[in-house]
């Protein structure tokens, strides 16, 4: 079994069934904000491809209904602080959509608390529409004394909101599980005003520095008394060290000849991280790591959190992992990780992201739990959730879904894009149709018509049913697509059983040229650089 896990399913069920007590070192979660919006993935296309297609990733809409009332009742009946807090929320909010949202979050926070080690931390990412309610809920789950910070992340530059001040920040609520949490100092860049005020000197080579005190006056433990260039003092460093620093050009002399040490700006780690983070940009269209997933956060944000509150080989858990930013950051920083998401769309996107960033061998380092591994499993998924079955089947062949909109797919469930005429050649496409029910020759004819209409190179019908002879005959009549790699049947029939056994679409072997998903940039593990010791303390 691989040490990293990617779970498909409801995170509450996964947490209760699969995550042991006191097994997690760091939790980051970025749950939906109850914004009453549908979030779409906008898949960008390269030049020459069709217009972008939007696929609904999730509905950020919560309603007070039978399901949310049941979640509320189950949590309240357990008693304790969380129960009392939810009851107070109901008094204030009544049976509202916000109460439904908080009723969903409460049992998940309780489950996360159980999974955390005594030294663990949790960072809950939210926006101001829900942060004040979530903070009260976190106080109930973890205790008010476990609160460490409300971090303000300035996620965008200033803009105008018609009837209010511009909304430019998110909140990140930082709590700990016990009195001695893992903590590593992290740093932010100095602000320009600070640099101008304190690093106001420059060497002959243009390196900026500030001057630091070499005198030991007032320091506990004393120092080293001797005369240095006519000045007798108790110094912070022994005379041999002073000689070495002077020879290296690291001593600055004031106008009256008093020595001070040069602290170079480019050797300073920065300002210890504060609770306002304005130095990490939200992702924009020109950022290389942007995948088009709604609510995707920059890796720099997760890097800071993971570096501050975990150590190498610690376990990082993201129960709403979306496109996998926390997973990718944890992998890069040498942590173990657990990701959970309720959509196969997200699971497939994370797979592509990890492979793009760390190479094909990354697949050996993690397991995917909860996906169908047999035909009966796949049949059950198709019965329970036809859309998730469709996403899963498309993921097996590396295809991206078409619009998730009932009655509007025009015979297309997914697409693959490739180039087989060089980088400047025309973009070709493979059309995929996924059928969970009974199939026949008419479905093959329909697919052929779609392929002709779209000008596609290849069409693929994926189904449970073994193709009949009339279906095979109909597919064969579509002839072949010819590429530099040979002939490929224009209409191909694949079964779910064949896909589970590893069979794939017969298409041009264009490794690295497939542009189905926007590629994530390659990543490298961070290596700590040795810090230069400038002085010796007495």
């Amino acid at each position: 079994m691989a040490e990293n896990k990617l779970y498909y399913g409801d995170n509450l069920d996964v947490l209760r069934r699969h995550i042991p007590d006191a097994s997690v070192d760091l939790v980051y979660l970025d749950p939906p904000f109850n914004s009453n919006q549908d979030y779409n993935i906008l898949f960008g296309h390269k030049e020459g491809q069709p217009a972008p297609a939007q696929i609904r990733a999730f509905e950020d809409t919560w309603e007070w209904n039978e399901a949310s009332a049941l979640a509320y009742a189950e949590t309240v009946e357990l008693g304790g602080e969380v129960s009392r807090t939810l009851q107070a929320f109901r008094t204030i909010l009544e049976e509202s959509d916000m109460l439904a949202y908080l009723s969903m979050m409460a049992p998940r926070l309780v489950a996360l608390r159980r999974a955390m080690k005594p030294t663990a931390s949790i960072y809950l990412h939210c926006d101001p529409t829900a942060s004040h309610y979530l903070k009260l809920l976190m106080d109930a789950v973890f205790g008010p004394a476990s609160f460490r910070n409300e971090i303000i992340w300035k996620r965008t530059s200033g803009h105008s909101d018609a009837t209010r001040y511009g909304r430019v920040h998110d909140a990140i609520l930082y709590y700990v599980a016990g009195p001695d949490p893992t903590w590593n100092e992290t740093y932010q860049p100095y602000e320009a005003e600070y640099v101008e005020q304190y690093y106001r000197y420059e060497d002959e080579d243009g390196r900026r520095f500030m001057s630091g005190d070499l005198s030991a006056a007032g320091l506990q433990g004393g120092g080293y008394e001797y005369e240095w260039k006519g000045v007798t003092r108790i110094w912070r460093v022994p005379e041999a060290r002073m000689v070495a620093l002077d020879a290296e050009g690291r001593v600055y002399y004031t106008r009256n000849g008093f020595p001070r040490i040069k602290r170079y700006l480019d050797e300073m780690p920065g300002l210890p991280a504060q609770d306002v983070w304005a130095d990490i940009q939200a992702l924009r269209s020109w950022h290389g790591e942007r995948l088009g997933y709604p609510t995707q956060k920059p890796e720099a944000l997760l890097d800071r959190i993971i570096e501050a509150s975990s150590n190498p080989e610690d376990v990082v858990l993201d129960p709403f992992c979306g496109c996998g930013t926390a997973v990718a950051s944890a992998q890069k920083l040498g942590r173990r990780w657990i990701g959970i998401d309720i959509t196969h769309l997200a699971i497939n996107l994370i797979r592509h992201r990890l492979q793009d960033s760390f190479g094909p061998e990354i697949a050996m380092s993690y397991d995917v739990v909860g996906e169908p591994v047999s035909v009966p499993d796949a049949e059950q998924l198709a019965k329970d959730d036809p859309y998730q079955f469709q996403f899963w089947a498309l993921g097996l062949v590396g295809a991206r879904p078409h619009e998730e909109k009932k009655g509007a797919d025009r015979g297309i469930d997914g697409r693959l894009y490739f180039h087989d005429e060089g980088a400047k050649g025309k973009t070709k496409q493979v059309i995929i149709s996924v059928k969970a029910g009974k199939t026949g020759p008419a479905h093959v004819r329909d697919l052929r018509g779609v392929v002709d209409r779209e000008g596609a190179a290849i069409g693929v019908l994926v189904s449970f049913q073994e193709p009949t002879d009339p279906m095979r005959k109909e597919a064969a009549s579509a002839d072949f697509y010819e590429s530099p790699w040979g002939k490929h049947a224009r209409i191909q029939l694949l079964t779910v059983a064949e896909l589970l056994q590893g069979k794939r679409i017969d298409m041009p072997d264009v490794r690295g040229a497939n542009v189905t998903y926007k590629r994530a940039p390659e990543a490298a593990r961070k290596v700590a650089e040795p810090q230069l010791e400038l002085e010796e303390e007495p």
Side-chain angles (χ1 to χ4, degrees), residues 58-351:
F58 58 84
E59 296 178 359
D60 183 10
T61 303
W62 304 94
E63 297 179 354
W64 183 261
N65 53 30
E66 185 177 346
S68 54
L70 180 61
Y72 172 88
E74 288 178 347
T75 303
V76 166
E77 288 168 8
L78 293 174
E81 285 300 315
V82 178
S83 172
R84 287 190 284 273
T85 301
L86 273 188
Q87 291 179 65
F89 282 152
R90 190 166 188 172
T91 300
I92 299 168
L93 300 169
E94 300 181 334
E95 296 177 350
S96 63
D97 295 345
M98 182 59 78
L99 181 62
Y101 174 67
L102 296 168
S103 299
M104 179 275 294
M105 286 299 301
R108 286 161 174 81
L109 290 172
V110 171
L112 289 168
R113 175 66 182 85
R114 173 195 58 78
M116 292 168 62
K117 295 178 181 178
T119 55
S121 301
I122 181 170
Y123 291 76
L124 193 161
H125 195 135
C126 52
D127 79 356
T129 62
S131 62
H132 47 303
Y133 298 118
L134 288 170
K135 187 174 185 297
L136 289 171
L137 191 55
M138 294 279 278
D139 281 348
V141 173
F142 293 91
S146 293
F147 172 71
R148 284 294 183 269
N149 290 101
E150 179 178 7
I151 299 163
I152 300 301
W153 175 45
K154 184 183 177 184
R155 57 177 170 77
T156 184
S157 56
H159 64 269
S160 175
D161 285 330
T163 59
R164 68 183 96 188
Y165 300 108
R167 292 168 293 177
V168 298
H169 83 277
D170 285 351
I172 302 173
L173 303 176
Y174 167 37
Y175 281 73
V176 296
D180 189 25
T182 299
W183 178 254
N184 304 304
E185 193 78 79
T186 56
Y187 299 89
Q188 300 173 237
Y190 295 120
E191 295 182 355
E193 294 83 356
Y194 181 88
V195 172
E196 288 299 321
Q197 181 177 356
Y198 293 103
Y199 287 89
R200 59 183 182 273
Y201 306 109
E202 285 191 6
D203 261 350
E204 296 80 4
D205 57 3
R207 292 180 70 193
R208 299 188 71 139
F209 68 91
M210 67 185 298
S211 68
D213 196 359
L214 278 170
S215 169
L219 287 183
Q220 280 189 331
Y224 309 91
E225 185 174 4
Y226 54 89
E227 180 184 338
W228 179 257
K229 296 190 176 182
V231 180
T232 301
R233 286 285 191 279
I234 298 176
W235 305 103
R236 293 184 179 221
V237 297
E239 189 170 5
R241 178 63 170 157
M242 184 75 89
V243 171
L245 289 172
D246 192 47
E248 294 167 7
R250 303 184 76 90
V251 178
Y252 169 75
Y253 294 92
T254 64
R255 282 179 291 183
N256 60 6
F258 196 87
R260 294 175 65 83
I261 191 166
K262 294 180 181 179
R263 300 188 186 278
Y264 287 103
L265 177 62
D266 57 15
E267 292 177 348
M268 294 294 106
L271 179 72
Q274 308 294 297
D275 63 3
V276 176
W277 296 356
D279 58 306
I280 298 175
Q281 282 191 327
L283 296 180
R284 300 289 185 264
S285 59
W286 58 85
H287 289 140
E289 68 180 86
R290 186 174 181 269
L291 301 174
Y293 193 86
T295 72
Q296 180 184 355
K297 301 303 183 291
E299 280 191 28
L301 188 75
L302 272 299
D303 288 350
R304 179 171 292 167
I305 290 171
I306 290 172
E307 289 179 322
S309 293
S310 71
N311 295 315
E313 298 302 318
D314 281 354
V315 176
V316 177
L317 167 63
D318 184 348
F320 294 88
C321 62
C323 66
T325 300
V327 165
S329 180
Q331 179 69 32
K332 176 179 63 180
L333 296 173
R335 274 65 167 174
R336 293 176 290 161
W337 51 262
I338 299 168
I340 310 171
D341 203 274
I342 200 168
T343 74
H344 283 290
L345 185 65
I347 299 298
N348 291 330
L349 188 58
I350 294 170
R351 280 174 159 156

Side-chain angles (χ1 to χ4, degrees), residues 448-495:
R448 183 175 178 180
V450 173
V451 168
D452 290 340
R453 184 190 74 213
E454 299 291 320
I458 296 169
V460 180
L461 178 65
V462 176
S463 66
F464 284 107
Q465 178 185 313
E466 185 72 25
T468 63
D469 288 340
M471 291 173 67
R472 295 185 188 279
K473 184 177 180 180
E474 185 68 39
S477 69
D479 209 354
F480 295 91
Y481 170 77
E482 294 193 26
S483 79
W485 289 267
K487 292 184 177 182
H488 317 272
R490 286 193 72 225
I491 300 297
Q492 301 177 27
L493 309 177
L494 291 175
T495 67

Side-chain angles (χ1 to χ4, degrees), residues 362-384:
I362 189 66
M364 302 299 294
S365 72
Y366 69 92
D367 293 325
V368 180
V369 182
E371 286 199 316
V373 294
S374 67
V375 172
D377 290 344
E379 289 174 337
Q380 187 62 49
L381 177 61
K383 179 181 178 182
D384 294 342

